[in-house]
Amino acid sequence: IILADGATLILTYNPNAGIIGDGDTVTPSFADLPIGFGRTKKFAYTTSVTDSIDFVMDVNGFKGPNSEARNGKQYDIRSFKVARFSKGCAGNNINGFGCVYQLPSYSPIKGGSEEIKKWDPKFVNADSYDNYWAGAKKACDDIGMSLPDESKLKSLAKKTTAEKEQLGLPTSGKFWSSSEQGLYSAYKIFFDDGATGIDVKYAELNKVLCVGD
């Protein structure tokens, strides 16, 4: 494989690597990567579905891996794999709710884009806005989970502080629900006291809890 700068990669395959099965959970990691002109964008990475595949750097063109010395030993220089693969729930299993996981971060979807037609087709005539609510829905779906509706999220937020701490739930902050209020707004829940609020879908400060089986 030849990259744009002329460097080459060797694609390797490990037939003994494990595969994803029913009930397995993919846990992504996040990194800010340069996208040109001094800008960066946050991406979610996972190598779970390609666990048996890796790239070996071959920038010297010798058709074999470059090596480097670390702590007195030689190591191949390979592409970095920043995600981990785990079985079961990535967050906390809560009786009556299933797996509950708070995303460390998420990205909005641009209004007027092809993606917005899938994740929020009602968000029309808003090409200049970034839709964080739609981004929250997509981010949960990307890890095989979903954004909870107002009722389910509120029942979690209404638990006592002691219960939330014991269950590994947040005790403060405002979180998106999947329930909409009109074309450009959606319901959010405050985890301080379980109160309900309404916010525009392009609001940036709401957090995300995903739920799954």
Side-chain angles (χ1 to χ4, degrees):
I1 299 174
I2 301 177
L3 303 181
D5 62 358
T8 57
L9 299 175
I10 299 173
L11 178 64
T12 62
Y13 176 70
N14 177 9
N16 296 319
I19 59 175
I20 297 177
D22 290 341
D24 292 345
T25 299
V26 175
T27 305
S29 296
F30 298 85
D32 290 305
L33 295 183
I35 58 174
F37 301 102
R39 298 172 300 164
T40 61
K41 183 176 180 180
K42 189 175 293 295
F43 289 89
Y45 283 88
T46 177
T47 55
S48 303
V49 294
T50 57
D51 198 43
S52 58
I53 299 173
D54 199 3
F55 292 96
V56 181
M57 308 303 292
D58 183 37
V59 293
N60 59 15
F62 291 158
K63 302 298 186 293
N66 292 330
S67 296
E68 64 180 5
R70 298 197 305 271
N71 300 321
K73 296 182 179 180
Q74 291 295 121
Y75 294 90
D76 292 344
I77 304 174
R78 297 175 179 268
S79 59
F80 59 91
K81 288 189 171 182
V82 298
R84 61 187 177 86
F85 181 61
S86 62
K87 293 182 179 293
C89 177
N92 298 285
N93 274 309
I94 299 177
N95 189 33
F97 297 92
C99 181
V100 180
Y101 174 61
Q102 181 177 348
L103 293 180
S105 63
Y106 68 104
S107 299
I109 298 177
K110 184 71 175 177
S113 65
E114 287 300 314
E115 274 194 317
I116 203 66
K117 295 177 183 178
K118 174 181 179 181
W119 296 104
D120 190 4
K122 298 178 182 178
F123 199 70
V124 295
N125 301 320
D127 294 1
S128 61
Y129 290 95
D130 289 335
N131 189 321
Y132 282 82
W133 176 78
K137 290 175 60 181
K138 180 181 183 298
C140 287
D141 185 80
D142 284 345
I143 58 173
M145 303 178 80
S146 60
L147 191 66
D149 62 24
E150 177 195 359
S151 176
K152 180 175 287 188
L153 194 60
K154 190 178 186 71
S155 60
L156 288 170
K158 276 291 191 180
K159 294 182 180 297
T160 66
T161 299
E163 287 175 323
K164 284 185 276 194
E165 289 176 344
Q166 183 180 11
L167 293 170
L169 292 170
T171 57
S172 62
K174 48 188 180 179
F175 289 78
W176 284 120
S177 81
S178 63
S179 303
E180 297 177 77
Q181 207 288 321
L183 298 179
Y184 303 107
S185 301
Y187 289 98
K188 62 183 177 182
I189 301 296
F190 293 85
F191 264 68
D192 308 75
D193 55 8
T196 300
I198 297 173
D199 217 339
V200 290
K201 293 176 178 178
Y202 45 86
E204 301 180 25
L205 300 179
N206 296 316
K207 300 178 181 180
V208 181
L209 273 183
C210 302
V211 296
D213 297 331

